[in-house]
Each structure stands twice: as C-alpha cells, then as structure tokens.
Amino acid sequence: MTQNTLIRVEVIIKFIGFVLLFNAVFLLIAASISIYHKETALLPLIFSGLICVIFGLFPFIFVEQQDDISFPEGLLIVVGGWLITCLIGMLPYLMWGGEFSLINAWFESVSGFTTTGSSILNDIEILPYGLLFWRSSTHWIGGVGVIMFVLLILPHATSSRLTLLNAEMSELSKYNFRYKARKIIRVLIIVYIGLTIIQSLILTLAGMSLFDAVNHSFATIATGGFSTKNFSVASFDSPVIETIIIFFMILSGIHFGLLYRTFTFQKENIFRSPTVRAFILILFSGVILVSAKLYFSDVYGIWDSIRYGAFQVISLGTTTGFATADSAHWPAFTHIILIYFTIQCAMVGSTSGGLKFDRVFLFFKSLRKQLIILQHPRAVVAIKINNWHISENLELLTLVFIILYLFTLFITTVVLTFFDVDLYTAFSASIATIGNVGPGFGDVSSLSNYSTIPVAGKFMLTINMILGRLEIFNIIALIMIRKSNF
Amino acid sequence: MRNKLKLKILAGFMLLVSLLIVAGAISIFEFISLSRSFNSLIEDNYKSIEASRTMLEALERKDSGLLLTLLDQSDDGQKIIKSADSAFMHAFSIAVNNVTERDEDKLLEKIDQRYDIFKNQVELATMVKSGGDKMNFYHNEIYYAFLDVKHSVNELMVLNQNRMYQDASLLKEKSYRAIMPGIVAIIGAVVFSLMLSFFISKYFISPLSELAEAIRTFSRHDKQLKTNIRSEDEIKRIEMEVNNLIARLTKQE
C-alpha cells in the first residue's frame, strides 16, 4: 500500500478525537446554562460532555503525533467525524427524554449538525435552556463543517491540514479562496465568528433576549433554522427582527471568501462577483413573484405580502428554514417558486448545503457552451466564473453531481411513498432534507414538523441530510476506498 | 521511556473507570431524587386526598344524621352528627397540617368558613319545632350550605389529585433519566473496551510479535536485529537491549 492510499485506523480515531473534544466544549457551555437555570438537562449534558472528553482524550494516550495523513484517511476522518459527531450529539436529547425517542434524537442531532433545521418536536418551548442552546450549537458547529474548527487548532503539519481541507470542501467552493489551506480556514472562521457576534448584538438591540439572539444567530449564520420558539421567527412578530435576520441570511448564503474580501476592502468582492449578482438577482426575482402572487390572490395586503413573501423566499433560498408564516396555505404558484429555491440552495463556500447555486449557474453556462459548440463545432469555448477558468473536468464533475443529486432525490421520494407518506410531503421532505433547508410542504410545512413521518422515513431523511451536507461524492469516494483498500 | 506502557494502560483503564463511576453517580443521584419524589408524592398529596375523602364521607354522614334528627329520630341522628363532626374535624386538621400546594391554604380557609356555616345551620335546624318548617329549612338553607362545603372539599381533592398526576409523570421521566446514563455507559464501555483492545493489540501485542519474529529469524550473520517498532516505550527498550546483547556477543566472538 502506497503512502497516498494508506489507511491507519489509529490516526483516524485520533483526529475524530479532536472533533469530540470540540463538541465537549459546547456541551459544557450548555451544561453551565443548565446549572444557571437549575434544569433537568444538566446531567444529560454533563454526561454527554464527559463521554466526548473521554473518547476524545483516549486516542492521545496511545497515538503519537502524525505529520502526514493520506487522502483516504482524510476522507474517513471527515465522514467519520460527521457521523460520530451526530451520534454523540443525540446523547443529550436521548438522555433527557420527552419527545426524544432513539430515532427522534438521531433525527434532531443530524438535522442540527447538517444545518437542515427540520425538527420532530411538537413543543420546542418545553425544552430546558441548556438543551435549546445545545440544539442551536449543533447548527453552529456543523455550519462551517465540524472539521474546520479542528483544522484551525491543529498543531500538525500543513500537509495534514490540506488533505483534510480537500476532503471537507468541494472543489468548486475553493475557487473564491485564493489562499493557502491555513489562511482559508482562518478566513472562514473569522467571517463565521464575526457574523455571529454582530448578528447577536444587533438582535439584542432589536429587543430579543440575549439567549434568543445568540441561538437565532447560531441558526442564521449556519443557515440552519432551529428556533427557540414553537412558531419560529413568527413568534417575535417584529418586522425589525425579521429584516435583520433576512440581511444575515443573505450574507450567510454568500461565499465566505468573497465576504472576507468585501469586509477587508479588496478588489474582488461581492459587488464585482457575477455569481453573487446572479444569486441576489434570482433571489429578489423570487421575492417579487411570491409577494405579487400573495397580494393578487388576496392572501395578504401589500405590506404583509412583501414581508412574508420576502422572508420565506430568502429563508428557503439560503437554506436557513426559519418561518414567519405557514406557506402550506399559500397558492400553488408560490410553492413551485419556493420548491425551486429549495433545490437551488445558496452559494458554495457559504454555510449552506445541498446542490448550491454555483452549480446551477455553471450548469447554465455549460448549456450555453454546448449550444455554441452545436452551432460552431470547431469553436473552443471556455467557461469562466468570477474571471476563473473552469476546467472541463470540474464542469463534468458538476454535471454528474447534479444528476446524482436529482437521482438521490427521486430515490428518497420513492422510499418515503413506500412508507405511506403522501407524494407531496415525500417529495418536499426529500428536497428539504437533501438541500439541508428544513421545512417542506404538506405535512412538513414551515410551521409544522417531521413528527408524523414514520420511523424508517425519518431514518431515510437523515441519510439524505448527511448526503446533502457531505455533497454525495465524499460518500461515494469513501465506498470506493473501502472497496480498494480493505 | 521508563514505565510508559504501564502508564498508557493505566490511563486507558482510568478513563474507562471514570466513565463508569460518573454514570453510576448520576444514576444513584437520579434514583435518590426519584425515591424522594416518590415519598413526597405519598406524603404530600396522598395524605390530603385521603383527608378530603374522609371529609366528604363525614359530610354525607352528618347530612344523614341531620335528616334522621329532622325525621324525629333525634337520638340516633345526634349520635351520627357528633361522630361525623369529629371525623370531619380530624381529617380537616390532617389537611391543614399537610399544606403542600399553592393556594391550598386558601382553599382550606374556605372549607373552614363554609363548614362553620353548615354546622351552625345544622344546630339551628335541630331547634326548629314544627315538622314542615324543619324540612323547608333543610331544603332552602342547609342543603345549599352542605353543597358549598362539599364543593370546596372536592376542589381540595382535585387540586391534590392533579398534582399527584403531574408528579407521577415526573416520576416516569426521572426513572427514565436514572436508567439512561447506565445504558449509555454500558454501550460506551463496550466501545471503549473494543478501542482499548485495538490499541493494546496495535501498540503492545503487534510489536512484541514482531520482536519475537525478528529474534526467530535472526541470523548469525546479521549485525543487528531489525524491526519496525517506532514507539518510545519498554518494547523499544527490549529491542535496544537485544541489539546491545548481540553487539556484546559479536565482540566476544
């Protein structure tokens, strides 16, 4: 076995240990909130934190420092890190009880870490503060990728960092980062933490309690969608709060590399990026179409049509999944528009999951290229995005990804209907979970939840969420590695 | 390099032990809390529910005693009234000494006031001479006073019953939370043991086997024992010592 295909289980366990230790920090913060409020969630949170610490520290006793990791190891660390994190993340829910059965705890944990934001809870407000904080923390940890924080503090050599970064980030998302691995990670984390702090402060100033502000900021910047309230953002009934959240949802749906360059007044920024311009343009076209339909169908008055239409389109279009109105009762036309945004998702390099806008953008560029070649067979047409030349290989990879994505969507819908879920609910739940959006339509609409989905269906949807988050290819690559190395 | 193996194994086991100890401590804590809740459930609410039942029964008996009195069976009636009154007051004092719920004291005050009214009217009824007047007085005054007390006592009983039902749900949750750390710890310990055995095999057994194999295949012409042991522990020390021994023996030859 060559160095490039080497798989050392002990090294993989050690790196996953780092991820567990990072989770332990948030579990212990959640536990301290429970101590303050004298809640029943204290012991489940402390015990889960302890398990993270024990399993996180254990490999350090035996495994010596590794300067190099192979790509298959990197892939296993990323996929394994996500799965173990989701498993550990369900412990506080499972140990606390209430509505959390085994499958419900797993669903909530996967939904949190993959920033999907779908919930099985009928009553969110009954949860203790500590558990609510942990629920939002899963979004925040998963938003930028569970491995990213570990990469930042990793004392190991650059090659390990680069390997893990390659396994965690898609090829396309690296396009707007013209930096070395360590700088990419720093840029991501700086923008991520910065946006979270700023939004928390602004929401507090707008009248939210500090606890709600932090939790909603975690969910916004991670494009997650878990709220601390039963009726999501609608509970606050505040246009100011909604506007702030809309603004940060849009920012969180844009490539973080471009945001960083904008904040640091660099030349190539969000205002000069054709992808960002196209993304914003399509998003606002969606807002106009939905709002107009709501108004002309007499669902709301002019102001409420804009207010609710804008929030819902941007919430789904950035894969956040917050809600201010129950879109299940809106006209069918608005559903089609919203479903389009659920499929399209936000930009690569952001915290959103799913198909990603850049791939759709690239697909249309590729379509244009093929049309030109049809007219001029000898023409050499290159695709450029943000002045960067897109290789034929990446173009092909993107098209294959889109086909795989839609195929997975089809399979999940079929499986859900097998478990007697109605077609509309099955289809929208599949899109909403693979796109890491959260709310769908039918029984799983924006102000409803996934509690009515059968156990097997819930499990299927969690696989969807993981596939959406890890971008399918990682899982396929993992299967291929297993075949060739074991 | 000294005692590194021992320390590693000890540290591994210490982590496992700490996991089990904490799980055990949490379970014990939850079970103690469960037992306390169970005691309070019995003592706090069940006592008051029983007292309410006794009060209701005493009220019914007192009402029957009064009717007997009004039907000219005064002796039997008075006896029943007296014993029912004493039973009511005894149950009432139990309820007064067992105030555990919010607004329970106000409810007891209301029962006390209404019972006083009922008691006074019962005494008045026994003084009314004419048979027809007696029954009219009973229907128009006493019966409503009786219903008022009964209603208040019922309220007291429902308050405690509701609380008991809530506590029973809490007990169910507490017992769940007492069991879960144990289950998680068992699964965790199994996974931990598998990992420990993997590390022991990887870092202790495999190098030892490798060393044994290297010694077995060591040829007289080799100048050094060659292994792939990279760890800095006792096994590496054995390898070094064997190599030193080989070097000394080669020198002697």
Side-chain angles (χ1 to χ4, degrees), chain A residues 145-399:
Chain A
V146 285
I147 304 295
M148 284 300 167
F149 288 103
V150 175
L151 290 182
L152 190 72
I153 52 162
L154 203 66
H156 297 172
T158 317
S159 59
S160 299
R161 196 174 283 119
L162 188 65
T163 312
L164 283 173
L165 188 72
N166 284 337
E168 175 75 301
M169 284 180 91
S170 72
E171 193 60 33
L172 199 61
S173 61
K174 282 177 220 140
Y175 260 71
N176 280 304
F177 288 114
R178 276 184 168 176
Y179 310 115
K180 286 182 177 172
R182 188 165 177 82
K183 175 99 181 191
I184 292 177
I185 298 156
R186 271 183 57 198
V187 165
L188 266 172
I189 302 293
I190 288 169
V191 173
Y192 197 57
I193 295 174
L195 286 177
T196 311
I197 293 171
I198 294 167
Q199 195 194 352
S200 300
L201 289 174
I202 297 176
L203 283 177
T204 313
L205 290 174
M208 257 194 196
S209 70
L210 182 65
F211 181 79
D212 284 336
V214 170
N215 280 282
H216 282 83
S217 300
F218 276 11
T220 312
I221 306 304
T223 62
F226 277 161
S227 174
T228 51
K229 304 287 176 194
N230 285 336
F231 294 107
S232 192
V233 179
S235 301
F236 299 97
D237 193 23
S238 162
V240 178
I241 286 173
E242 287 163 29
T243 312
I244 294 164
I245 291 176
I246 283 177
F247 177 71
F248 281 94
M249 282 194 294
I250 295 173
L251 284 185
S252 308
I254 293 173
H255 197 292
F256 277 22
L258 284 171
L259 285 182
Y260 179 78
R261 276 206 283 273
T262 311
F263 297 144
T264 50
F265 307 108
Q266 291 181 41
K267 209 177 168 187
E268 287 158 358
N269 52 41
I270 54 171
F271 304 108
R272 291 186 176 213
S273 162
T275 329
V276 177
R277 277 207 297 262
F279 175 63
I280 302 286
L281 185 74
I282 290 176
L283 214 52
F284 278 92
S285 306
V287 171
I288 292 166
L289 287 171
V290 170
S291 304
K293 181 64 190 165
L294 288 174
Y295 176 67
F296 290 117
S297 297
D298 285 333
V299 180
Y300 303 113
I302 181 87
W303 162 240
D304 279 348
S305 295
I306 297 169
R307 179 183 168 187
Y308 297 130
F311 194 93
Q312 218 59 29
V313 169
I314 292 165
S315 176
L316 297 191
T318 56
T319 77
T320 311
F322 281 139
T324 51
D326 194 357
S327 50
H329 306 298
W330 289 3
F333 174 77
T334 61
H335 285 197
I336 291 166
I337 302 287
L338 291 173
I339 284 173
Y340 167 74
F341 281 107
T342 311
I343 294 174
Q344 177 198 277
C345 306
M347 291 181 67
V348 292
S350 69
T351 54
S352 71
L355 188 58
K356 309 264 172 66
F357 173 75
D358 303 57
R359 289 199 178 94
V360 180
F361 194 60
L362 185 58
F363 167 76
F364 283 110
K365 289 232 172 196
S366 177
L367 195 68
R368 187 173 157 267
K369 176 185 155 184
Q370 296 308 323
L371 288 173
I372 294 172
I373 290 173
L374 270 177
Q375 288 171 327
H376 311 282
R378 287 186 182 179
V380 178
V381 188
I383 297 179
K384 276 186 171 184
I385 290 181
N386 293 348
N387 292 328
W388 286 308
H389 179 77
I390 303 291
S391 67
E392 293 248 330
N393 185 37
L394 185 58
E395 186 190 339
L396 185 69
L397 211 65
T398 305
L399 297 178

Side-chain angles (χ1 to χ4, degrees), chain A residues 8-11 13-14 40-41 43-44 46-48 50-51 53-55 57-64 66 91 93-98 100-102 126 128, chain B residues 4 7-9 11-12 15-16 18-19 22-23 26 29-30 173 176-177 180-182 184-185 187-189 191-192 195-196 198-200 202-204 230-232:
Chain A
R8 292 160 297 175
V9 179
E10 66 279 10
V11 175
I13 293 175
K14 188 178 179 179
T40 49
L43 292 178
I46 285 185
F47 191 58
S48 306
L50 182 85
I51 286 179
V53 170
I54 287 174
F55 279 93
L57 283 179
F58 182 44
F60 286 80
I61 298 171
F62 295 96
V63 189
E64 313 272 320
Q66 302 295 326
L91 286 183
Y93 303 135
L94 191 65
M95 289 170 73
W96 185 75
F100 294 114
S101 60
L102 185 67
I126 203 171
Chain B
K4 222 174 169 185
L7 274 175
K8 280 180 177 179
I9 295 174
L15 283 175
L16 180 63
S18 61
L19 171 77
V22 173
I26 290 175
F29 175 81
E30 289 284 8
E173 280 180 21
Y176 175 84
R177 282 180 203 136
M180 280 317 285
V184 173
I187 297 167
V191 176
F192 194 92
M195 281 170 69
L196 190 62
F198 167 75
F199 282 126
I200 289 174
K202 174 86 191 169
Y203 289 96
F204 310 137
R230 287 177 192 166
S231 59
E232 297 289 321

Side-chain angles (χ1 to χ4, degrees), chain B residues 29 32 50 75 86 88 120 124 136 143 171 196 198 221:
Chain B
F29 175 81
I32 290 171
E50 274 303 297
D75 289 348
S86 129
F88 183 92
N120 288 338
L124 275 175
N136 278 340
Y143 183 64
L171 279 181
L196 190 62
F198 167 75
H221 307 293

Side-chain angles (χ1 to χ4, degrees), chain A residues 63-179:
Chain A
V63 189
E64 313 272 320
Q65 186 174 314
Q66 302 295 326
D67 291 335
D68 261 326
I69 53 170
S70 66
F71 186 72
E73 282 173 347
L75 208 58
L76 280 162
I77 290 166
V78 170
V79 177
W82 275 95
L83 292 177
I84 299 291
T85 297
C86 290
L87 265 175
I88 290 286
M90 71 187 265
L91 286 183
Y93 303 135
L94 191 65
M95 289 170 73
W96 185 75
E99 286 187 71
F100 294 114
S101 60
L102 185 67
I103 186 68
N104 283 356
W106 168 250
F107 188 95
E108 202 76 3
S109 176
V110 175
S111 175
F113 281 112
T114 57
T115 71
T116 306
S118 310
S119 182
I120 45 80
L121 291 170
N122 287 299
D123 190 358
I124 294 164
E125 286 165 39
I126 203 171
L127 292 189
Y129 285 95
L131 218 51
L132 280 174
F133 180 79
W134 171 242
R135 197 166 161 263
S136 305
S137 298
T138 58
H139 269 342
W140 203 73
I141 297 167
V144 79
V146 285
I147 304 295
M148 284 300 167
F149 288 103
V150 175
L151 290 182
L152 190 72
I153 52 162
L154 203 66
H156 297 172
T158 317
S159 59
S160 299
R161 196 174 283 119
L162 188 65
T163 312
L164 283 173
L165 188 72
N166 284 337
E168 175 75 301
M169 284 180 91
S170 72
E171 193 60 33
L172 199 61
S173 61
K174 282 177 220 140
Y175 260 71
N176 280 304
F177 288 114
R178 276 184 168 176
Y179 310 115

